[in-house]
Amino acid sequence: MVQKLAGKIAVVTGGTTGIGLAAAKAFAQEGATVYITGRRQAELDAAVAAIGPQARGVQADSTKLADLDRLYALVQAEQGRLDVLYANAGGGGMLPLGSITEAHFDETFDRNVKGVVFTVQKALPLLDKATAGASVILAGSTTSVLGTANFSIYSATKAAVRNLTRSWILDLKGRAIRVNTLSPGPIHTPGLLELAGPDAAQQQDLLDYLTTQVPLGRMGQPEDIAKAAVFLASDDSAFVNGIELFADGGQAQA
């Protein structure tokens, strides 16, 4: 079987759980050498073990520029180039208008916008060295186009990410670096369940409700997004640039 990412060097930020871990596994299975980041060493070690010998873990927080410098210095020293960058790290909590705090605002924009901007910008020298063009994937969300109660700040960050993609393809014109946004719908991940709190019944209520919002009639799994990420990372999408690819069971289109 031909591997879609054979010989490629990939970085997946926030690669220790959920979508990031599934994408890193899929990249490795398709032949890539994968560097993953995470903030907690124990989870990072477990993820590397789960991915296999083609994985390398780097403890890093994408909101800290020194951590990003250390990540890319390692990739430069060991590989000399970067072919695929999945800026997946991010997240956010729920607060309604009237309860939004400055800390909530700053943390969410730091994780989902500042972190993405500098994750990509600091990778450019390595992406320029990709042997057959590079692929950058930004972590979007259906909230970029759909209003969601109590989730306005997170949603605003994902709308910002969508426009970063549109603008960066113009900044990078002629440099053989593609940039696309991958926007999941409701995906059964630990991060999603955390939004409902620790109570198992409340978590199930959230899953049941979200399932009703998906025309396909089921929740997504991390592997669904990983397959879409492989497409955007590979030469199968060599002429795909600047899009927002919704992997959401039709939610954003209904």
Side-chain angles (χ1 to χ4, degrees), residues 19-226:
I19 291 170
L21 177 58
K25 286 180 178 178
F27 288 176
Q29 289 165 0
E30 291 292 344
T33 297
V34 185
Y35 290 75
I36 65 169
T37 71
R39 292 181 291 177
R40 291 172 288 274
Q41 190 65 50
E43 291 184 10
L44 190 62
D45 292 342
V48 168
I51 297 164
Q54 289 168 252
R56 178 78 182 271
V58 180
Q59 188 174 22
D61 181 336
S62 295
T63 68
K64 296 180 179 178
L65 274 57
D67 285 8
L68 294 172
D69 288 337
R70 182 165 44 81
L71 164 67
Y72 293 131
L74 180 64
V75 177
Q76 169 64 40
E78 294 186 349
Q79 308 295 341
R81 73 178 200 279
L82 182 59
D83 303 298
V84 179
L85 172 60
Y86 189 177
N88 169 74
M94 305 183 81
L95 282 176
L97 183 63
S99 300
I100 296 166
T101 64
E102 184 177 13
H104 172 77
F105 181 95
D106 288 346
E107 180 186 17
T108 309
F109 267 84
D110 278 357
R111 294 176 68 185
N112 296 341
V113 182
K114 174 187 173 183
V116 168
V117 168
F118 290 102
T119 294
V120 176
Q121 181 166 284
K122 287 180 174 293
L124 288 177
L126 287 165
L127 292 166
D128 276 324
K129 296 177 182 177
T131 52
S135 173
V136 175
I137 305 168
L138 306 186
S141 166
T142 54
T143 63
S144 68
V145 295
L146 297 176
T148 306
N150 305 324
F151 221 25
S152 62
I153 302 305
Y154 176 88
S155 301
T157 66
K158 294 306 181 179
V161 166
R162 176 63 184 107
N163 197 272
L164 291 176
T165 298
R166 285 192 170 102
S167 300
W168 285 349
I169 64 169
L170 301 177
D171 292 346
L172 297 170
K173 186 175 181 180
R175 289 175 65 174
I177 301 173
R178 298 183 294 112
V179 184
N180 294 291
T181 298
L182 176 53
S183 291
I187 308 299
H188 194 158
T189 63
L192 179 69
L193 295 178
E194 286 175 4
L195 294 175
D199 182 75
Q202 291 181 343
Q203 291 178 356
Q204 189 59 51
D205 286 345
L206 176 62
L207 295 176
D208 292 342
Y209 167 73
L210 291 174
T211 299
T212 69
Q213 305 303 300
V214 180
L216 205 56
R218 69 171 177 87
M219 289 285 294
Q221 298 298 320
E223 292 74 20
D224 292 316
I225 310 306

